[in-house]
Amino acid sequence: MKPLDPRLIRRSGAARGFLVAGGAVALVQAAAVIGFAYGLARLVTDLVAGVPLAELGWAMLLLVGCVLVRALAAWVWEWSGAAGAVRVKTELRRAVLESVDRGAGAPGGTGRLATLLGPGLDALDDYFGRYLPQLVLTVVAMPILLVAVWLADPLSGLILVIVLPLLPIFMALIGLATKQVQQRQWEGLQQLSTAFLEIVGGLSTLVVFNRAERQLGRIRRATDAYRGKTMRVLRVTFLSGFVLEFGASLSIALVAVSIGLRLVSGEMGLLAGLFVLVLAPEVFLPLRNVGAAFHASTEGLEASGEALDRIEAGERVDASATRAATTPPSARSGAAAALRLERFAALRDGRAVAAPVDLELAPGEVVALVGPSGAGKSSLIAALLGFAEADGEAWVDGVTAGPAARPRVAWASQQPLLRAGTVASNVRLGSEHAPEALLEEALAELAVGLEAGHPVGPEGAGLSGGQQQRVAVARAWHRARAEGLRLLVLDEPSSALDAGHEARLAAAVRRLADGGTAVLVASHRPALVAAADRTVELREAVRVAK
Amino acid sequence: MSRSDPATRRVLREAMPPLRRLMPAVLAGIASGGSAVALLAASAWLITRAAEQPPILFLSLGIVGVRAFALSRAVFRYLERLAGHDAAFRQLAAVRAGVYERMLPVAPDGVPATRGGELLARFVGDVDELQNLALRVVQPVVSALVVLVAAVTGIAFLAPGAAAGLAVVLVAGIGLALFAQHRAGARADRELAPLRGRLQQAVVEHLRTRELLVAYGAAAADLDRIDGLARRLGRVSRARAVAAGAVAAAVAAMGGIGAAVALWLAAPVLSNGGIDGPTLAILALVPLAVAEVAAAIPPAAAAWRVARSAAERVARAVPAEVPPELPVPALAPRALPAGGTAPRLELHGVHADWPGSAELERPSALRPVDLVLDPGERVLVRGPSGSGKTTLAHVLVRFLEYGGSYRIDGIEARELDPHRLRDRIGLVEQRPWLFDESIRQNLIFARDTASDAELEAVVERVGLGDWMRERGGLDAPVGERGALVSGGQAHRIALARAMLADFAVLVLDEPTASVDRARADALLAELLDAASGRSVVLISHTPVAPGLVDRELVLD
């Protein structure tokens, strides 16, 4: 695992800003630490030499001033870490969502993506708040402090220069030597760690079978086994912490003893000796903190790495889409028709979902798209809108089907896809500029039966299935009218409606068509199909045997 | 520090390891912190004394001390971490078992967490969080306080004034840090968490409706809305960082200010001969090490906050007393007449409620129903969601208490031991729980004497024989939360389990809920066929094909 993802630096302005600001703070902090060590050493040396405290006011001021600067630096780190994390998260979140919207899809499902964008990216709080500051301090401040020690006493500097690189090397060696042991232990640990959750989650099942009381022993055994395995892992994991602590305190001891011995023989002065003694632990501090915050770093890095992967995958999709868009358009454009399909078929995994369809919809026509469940009605509609790959050609209102045709289609999908808010906020989605009157008209036409201000919960909560469906269809109707579109596509719009509402829907569709809009209705409900002018049947794709 | 209610205090008390188990970690912590202080004191003394150029023999004690403390600091720190984690994990077993034991009288319907999902994960997380009470709160605070008191006392022997000054600085620094931390924590609870939730909800909604948003040209506007929420979150977390920064600043300043104060107070003592030079150096440097020890206290306070709210949630999640909506086992239960045939169930005016419904003033979850189930009969209980179908199912297996009369072969169910009742009447839940183990483990607990042949036979009978063989037999895993099986297969496994237990009466709660309509009737026919010879109460929100059941009971 790299300590810092170069892609993050390249892509995120906020991350770059944080590092630059952090570098400056680290410089100031290093200066304050040196000033503090000098002030303290000077005070002790001079007081021991008999200088009265009154004459050492400047050293006391330097000391306290440097302490305050250091405290301020700690404050700035905290603040800029929080601010940086929020800004980077906002940037990454937006970029990932945009790439998903452009068609990169959500591999692993939207649940996983939502987890990545929520708790996943939140791990960056610790990454920016705890890990990166120490990393910057290690890179910027540690060398400066080392140079200060070296200038004051080259031998102590040499001791530190020898010990410092040894620590990461020892830690890496320990990691390497124990990797296999660790791996073996972690396997099986996962199952033990979820044992309690499994029992609590399955409690009602266990009660049904009268097995609940017996689980007490199992809980104790599993937790004990978990402890045993975890402790074996920790004994090794804590070793690297031990190496850091041990290296740090050992170097202080080495430096202190060597300085003491040289002071006795008069080879060096007390001032330099105390100065180095105060500074030596400070040299190790950022490195120790980096080690302590290492876990915080990996989680945040993994999350940002996955986010960046998805952004880059989205860019590859964009690039191929751009290539596709620059291929010359076909000579015919089907300009007069509201919708025209020529041997058009949706593809799934590169294979046609259904047999290719030829179809032309004139304005004012209502056409029913029928076929058995699973025949690919929804896939065909998805392909029209560019949400699925397609074979053949299609034009919506003279525009090639796909992403470019979206502004020319009003569409109600099979799932109502309602959003939290009100009935009005759902129906006016994307057409907020349209007059209020049109909203009321939409609600009346589709017999929604709810006030415009009626609240809608997440995923349509609080509305019945039928109400949700009517709001969704009213939304498509509203869009068609508000934007003056020539094509309305409805996907199973009456599956949750009773006969009365279905008849109202059929009538509303007819009135809209009479106004010059073509309507394509995918449905398996006889009443709705009968109300259409024509019927197009989708057949199963002919599989050519190899 | 706290105004916790008795239930929370009890949970917290149970989370504390016994003293003898906590002791090793505390002692190692004291030794490690003490070594750090002693290392700096010995180094300061050594250097300053050496500058006076005494015979080298006078220094040897200091040299040995420096080396020994350097070693002991790291070693004891390692031991502290090991001992602390070991004690915490040992207590975890007791905490889990204790919480589970208290769940049993009200399980499953008195503990909402058992219904799965977010609530379950949170509850289990909260229980496990309790192990941090000793590890991250009590043990570090006790160790740090002992070292601090010892260090200040030690300094008091050298220069009482400097010791008092250092004590004041430590108290002020820790106090300031704790106060700032409290502010930051309260702010996070009050504003940050709800905003985070809203942002996450907006992201989930965007993802769920992204095709709609894209098709309606509303995606960019929705992203702007999300960014707006993120900016508000940013403002709040920066405001919180102001307080959190004050914690960091106070901790960073404590050592230096302590050193300055100690020097300022000790300088006059030095000039009138009260102390010597090396002692002055000790007084100047020890505050730095002491401050590092004190720095452990603010994080411990933050951990206390987390552990306490976890304890509060655990205490709330498990009711201390059995609520009136849940059955209390009869003191002198009557026995059911033995016999292979299914019992006759008679329900007259049975109604029931879920725990906590009285406070919500909701109408009764199950309004009075009458139902008679003769041996071998199949009855469909139908009705829209919210009509009390699942409530009825839970009454039948005595998960819930009931009003009215529910007799089994003429005996009132209240007078029976619920366990004996459940030997005869079984439930296959709407979302059956599969354990993250093999198919065998998911079946065997229904009858632990069953042979492999019997297990395979029952799997065959529910129509999963081929599927099981494809996956390598009884040892095939079903995955976490049954991730490797479909909803329909999960129901079949659950049914196989119920048949293995040989319930005479089976209650099937929406067995086809996760299967599409076209295949639902076929699955139902197969399930009922597999359950032949038993009485069946089938619960469904949709009608089923004619001929599958003998009668219908419609709830509304």
Side-chain angles (χ1 to χ4, degrees), chain A residues 2 27 40 69 147 233 237 251 262 306 319 383 406 439 535:
Chain A
K2 286 190 204 114
L27 283 178
L40 191 63
V69 168
V147 169
V233 172
T237 308
S251 327
R262 280 176 292 146
E306 193 182 334
R406 287 173 193 158
L439 165 68
T535 301

Side-chain angles (χ1 to χ4, degrees), chain A residues 67-277:
Chain A
V67 169
L68 293 181
V69 168
R70 198 169 173 191
L72 187 69
W75 189 87
V76 170
W77 275 123
E78 194 72 38
W79 190 86
S80 62
V86 168
R87 282 175 54 207
V88 170
K89 282 193 289 185
T90 307
E91 279 180 6
L92 288 178
R93 189 186 299 116
R94 171 127 197 169
V96 169
L97 286 175
E98 274 176 350
S99 90
V100 170
D101 288 348
R102 279 196 308 265
T110 54
R112 185 179 161 79
L113 189 52
T115 309
L116 168 70
L117 293 181
L121 286 186
D122 281 342
L124 284 176
D125 287 349
D126 269 353
Y127 181 67
F128 277 88
R130 291 179 50 206
Y131 180 75
L132 268 192
Q134 301 304 333
L135 192 67
V136 171
L137 281 173
T138 306
V139 173
V140 177
M142 201 171 77
I144 297 177
L145 298 182
L146 210 51
V147 169
V149 170
W150 190 286
L151 290 179
D153 178 27
L155 187 59
S156 298
L158 190 66
I159 292 174
L160 296 187
V161 166
I162 291 171
V163 174
L164 269 176
L166 281 182
L167 297 184
I169 292 174
F170 269 118
M171 283 169 72
L173 282 178
I174 288 177
L176 216 61
T178 58
K179 195 174 172 186
Q180 218 183 346
V181 186
Q182 303 271 54
Q183 202 70 46
R184 244 197 336 266
Q185 298 295 347
W186 280 121
E187 290 162 13
L189 206 55
Q190 189 58 33
Q191 207 166 11
L192 283 173
S193 75
T194 57
F196 184 55
L197 183 134
E198 286 273 312
I199 290 173
V200 175
L203 193 51
S204 59
T205 304
L206 293 165
V207 173
V208 167
F209 291 94
N210 288 332
R211 294 295 187 272
E213 285 81 2
R214 289 191 198 174
Q215 306 303 318
L216 264 174
R218 206 174 127 205
I219 290 174
R220 286 184 196 278
R221 276 197 305 280
T223 310
D224 239 29
Y226 177 60
R227 174 184 62 85
K229 272 194 190 280
T230 311
M231 287 310 295
R232 271 196 288 274
V233 172
L234 289 184
R235 268 197 277 281
V236 178
T237 308
F238 290 162
L239 265 187
S240 53
F242 172 74
V243 166
L244 267 181
E245 295 268 343
F246 185 66
S249 45
L250 190 71
S251 327
I252 295 168
L254 284 176
V255 166
V257 170
S258 105
I259 290 174
L261 292 178
R262 280 176 292 146
L263 279 168
V264 174
S265 56
E267 283 171 49
M268 69 183 291
L270 179 59
L271 178 64
L274 280 175
F275 177 70
V276 169
L277 183 65

Side-chain angles (χ1 to χ4, degrees), chain B residues 104-419:
Chain B
L104 284 177
V106 291
D109 284 347
V111 191
T114 59
R115 270 164 239 157
E118 193 79 356
L119 221 50
L120 169 66
R122 174 123 191 222
F123 173 73
V124 171
D126 280 338
V127 172
D128 287 0
E129 176 66 43
L130 291 174
Q131 66 176 310
N132 286 334
L133 179 66
L135 184 64
R136 301 199 196 290
V137 184
V138 176
Q139 178 211 312
V141 168
V142 170
S143 302
L145 284 180
V146 168
V147 173
L148 291 183
V149 169
V152 172
T153 312
I155 290 175
F157 280 115
L158 303 176
L166 179 60
V168 168
V169 170
L170 285 176
V171 169
I174 295 171
L176 181 65
L178 289 181
F179 173 72
Q181 184 153 278
H182 179 75
R183 291 283 301 270
R187 178 154 215 148
D189 291 347
R190 200 172 56 238
E191 296 175 45
L192 215 50
L195 259 181
R196 275 221 167 114
R198 280 181 59 193
L199 178 64
Q200 181 64 1
Q201 204 182 331
V203 167
V204 168
E205 185 159 70
H206 183 94
L207 286 170
R208 188 177 61 83
T209 60
R210 66 185 188 280
E211 292 193 344
L212 174 84
L213 292 169
V214 169
Y216 278 61
D222 196 51
L223 288 181
D224 289 342
R225 187 176 73 97
I226 291 175
D227 280 356
L229 277 174
R231 272 195 299 277
R232 276 185 59 192
L233 185 67
R235 273 198 296 279
V236 174
S237 51
R238 280 196 299 274
R240 180 183 167 274
V242 170
V247 180
V251 169
M254 219 165 15
I257 298 292
V261 168
L263 269 178
W264 181 57
L265 293 171
V269 187
L270 176 77
S271 55
N272 61 31
I275 52 172
D276 58 4
T279 306
L280 182 79
I282 291 177
L283 295 181
L285 262 64
V286 159
L288 302 181
V290 168
E292 208 177 306
V293 173
I297 292 178
W304 162 244
R305 216 184 153 75
V306 175
R308 192 183 53 179
S309 43
E312 267 167 20
R313 286 192 297 267
V314 170
R316 229 179 301 133
V318 186
E321 286 161 27
V322 180
E325 293 86 356
L326 297 181
V328 181
L331 287 175
R334 293 176 61 183
L336 267 176
T341 57
R344 175 185 155 93
L345 308 189
E346 286 171 276
L347 282 72
H348 291 294
V350 164
H351 57 97
D353 270 310
W354 291 78
S357 59
E359 294 150 36
L360 301 174
E361 291 179 14
R362 271 194 308 223
S364 210
L366 175 66
R367 285 180 289 277
V369 291
D370 296 324
L371 171 68
V372 175
L373 187 73
D374 281 318
E377 241 192 335
R378 290 165 177 193
V379 175
L380 170 69
V381 176
R382 190 160 67 82
S385 56
S387 59
K389 302 186 298 292
T390 298
T391 312
L392 176 62
H394 283 207
V395 166
L396 289 175
V397 294
R398 291 286 279 152
F399 281 6
L400 289 173
E401 187 54 274
Y402 60 88
S405 162
Y406 165 26
R407 287 168 178 274
I408 297 149
D409 274 347
I411 304 174
E412 192 62 42
R414 259 186 227 103
E415 295 167 14
L416 293 168
D417 178 352
H419 291 90

Side-chain angles (χ1 to χ4, degrees), chain A residues 306-376:
Chain A
E306 193 182 334
L308 290 165
D309 285 345
R310 286 175 186 266
I311 294 168
E312 284 174 359
E315 279 164 4
R316 283 194 293 276
V317 170
D318 289 350
S320 62
T322 318
R323 272 198 304 282
T326 49
T327 50
S330 167
R332 299 153 300 166
S333 71
L339 173 68
R340 184 183 169 120
L341 308 181
E342 288 183 6
R343 305 217 33 87
F344 189 72
L347 301 179
R348 191 182 298 145
D349 302 328
R351 281 200 303 198
V353 178
V357 180
D358 287 292
L359 175 67
E360 186 162 330
L361 245 77
E365 252 190 321
V366 179
V367 172
L369 181 65
V370 299
S373 134

